[in-house]
Amino acid sequence: FKIRSDYLRVLERKRKISAWLIKSLKLQHLLPKRARIISYNRGRKIKFPVFIELSKDFGCVLGWYTAEGSINDRKINFDLGKNEEKRVRELILKIKKVFSLEGKYRRESSKIRLTVSSTILVHLLKRLGIKNNARRKEIPWIIFHSPPETQL
């Protein structure tokens, strides 16, 4: 494929470059560790990290998803017990720390539902092999290839 040089100059001037361009040109190794993908949700700017550290918090979020989570095309839900508000708040902080995303929760009759709206995160989890069906869920392969501190 061809990329017009004037398009690259415009991106350079704006100090922005699209993710598809970086991937197409295989330039991922040139990105700074704190690089972000910028997305918008209802007019709100969202900065999602390009590189995610395989940390204890990352393992914790995946563990909670495996135990209590579900995904659809746009969001991830965690359904915790109605008396687990403290854990919900801890999970919100971990999601913010790992993915730079805000989670919102609401009380329902028998549970607390934490929702994280992010098509980028949904796409990432699906690429990691995360399954949605409760009978098909399993510990994600990335956990087995992670440092011991990630594997709670």
Side-chain angles (χ1 to χ4, degrees):
F1 67 93
K2 285 188 174 182
I3 300 170
R4 294 183 3 218
S5 62
D6 59 333
Y7 176 68
L8 290 174
R9 277 195 291 276
V10 168
L11 289 174
E12 186 178 21
R13 204 173 321 121
K14 291 181 180 180
R15 301 196 61 183
K16 296 179 181 176
I17 192 161
S18 63
W20 71 264
L21 185 61
I22 290 169
K23 187 174 180 183
S24 298
L25 297 176
K26 297 180 173 50
L27 300 174
Q28 296 95 322
H29 64 283
L30 298 175
L31 293 173
K33 289 193 189 273
R34 299 189 56 88
R36 301 276 188 243
I37 295 172
I38 297 175
S39 171
Y40 293 89
N41 182 0
R42 296 183 178 149
R44 240 178 354 119
K45 190 176 190 177
I46 298 169
K47 296 179 179 181
F48 191 85
V50 173
F51 301 105
I52 296 170
E53 181 183 347
L54 299 178
S55 63
K56 185 176 179 181
D57 291 332
F58 176 74
C60 184
V61 171
L62 288 185
W64 272 105
Y65 173 81
T66 303
E68 306 290 347
S70 63
I71 56 177
N72 64 30
D73 291 339
R74 296 179 174 213
K75 62 185 174 187
I76 297 150
N77 295 314
F78 298 88
D79 293 329
L80 285 81
K82 63 181 179 180
N83 298 322
E84 295 185 292
E85 190 167 344
K86 181 181 176 191
R87 289 202 170 118
V88 170
R89 290 182 188 179
E90 289 172 1
L91 188 52
I92 287 172
L93 292 175
K94 290 178 189 304
I95 290 167
K96 176 74 173 169
K97 184 176 178 183
V98 174
F99 302 112
S100 302
L101 296 171
E102 299 289 334
K104 295 182 181 175
Y105 72 94
R106 69 175 191 268
R107 291 185 164 280
E108 296 181 5
S109 60
S110 62
K111 64 186 175 189
I112 299 174
R113 172 163 279 185
L114 167 60
T115 301
V116 181
S117 297
S118 172
T119 53
I120 295 173
L121 182 56
V122 168
H123 180 71
L124 170 70
L125 292 178
K126 286 181 177 179
R127 295 283 291 185
L128 290 176
I130 302 291
K131 296 177 176 55
N132 191 31
N133 186 321
R135 291 187 179 132
R136 293 179 52 219
K137 276 190 193 173
E138 54 192 37
I139 297 170
W141 63 267
I142 195 163
I143 294 298
F144 295 113
H145 300 289
S146 300
E149 61 270 9
T150 304
Q151 303 175 10
L152 296 179

